[in-house]
Amino acid sequence: YVKSGEILARLDQQELTTKLKSAQAQYNNTHKEYKRAQRLIKADAISRSELDLRKSKNDIDQASLISAKKALADSVLMAPFDGNIAKVSVTAQQVLQAGEPAIVILGSGGLEAKFNLPTRIIARANNNDKTHLGAYITLDSAPSLKIPAQFKQVTLTADASSQTHEVTFAFAAPENINVLPGMNALAWFTPPSSD
C-alpha cells in the first residue's frame, strides 16, 4: 500500500544534479550582469542594445535553470494517489524509455467497466438521460451482487471492423469483494425507449 506523494523510485540523479548546479551558476552570473546593466543604463554608460542583449541572455539562462530544476524533479517517481502496487515492471539500473510503464498502482477509489456497444444501439440512446439508465454491473465472481453503475463516456468514433463504440461506466468497489483489473463483468442497463 502506498500513499499519494510517496516516493516509489528515483532515477540516477548525478548528471541531473550537475546540470542543475551549472545552470544555477550560469543564471546567477547573467542575472548579476543584467542588474548591473540596468544600473548603467540609468547613468547612460551603456547602450540600449547592450541592455537588451543582457536581458535576453538572462531570460535564456533563467529558462535553462527552470528546465534543469524540472528535469531533476521529474527524476523522482511518486505515487499519484493512494492505492496498492499491483505490478513493478522495472529493476534497479534498468534504462527506461519515455512513456514506458514502471509501476502499476490500483487506486482505492472508483472503478470503471468498459465494453463495446453496436452503433445501432448508440444511435437510439437518449442524449439527455445517460446518467439515469438504472445501470448496474455484475461480476463473474459474484453474479448475484448488483453493483450500481453510472454512465461516464462513450467514444464518438466506431471501431472500423466491428462498428461498435467503447462505453465506460463507473462504479464503486463493493466492500466484500476484491475487484481487480481484467475481471469479467456484465453490464445491465435499461434499454433506450423506442420514441
Side-chain angles (χ1 to χ4, degrees), residues 131-136 149 188-190:
T131 57
H132 297 63
L133 291 174
Y136 61 91
W188 300 84
F189 59 95
T190 307

Side-chain angles (χ1 to χ4, degrees), residues 115-127:
F115 53 92
N116 291 346
L117 282 179
T119 301
R120 61 183 165 72
I121 292 176
I122 298 291
R124 292 178 39 219
N126 183 350
N127 286 335

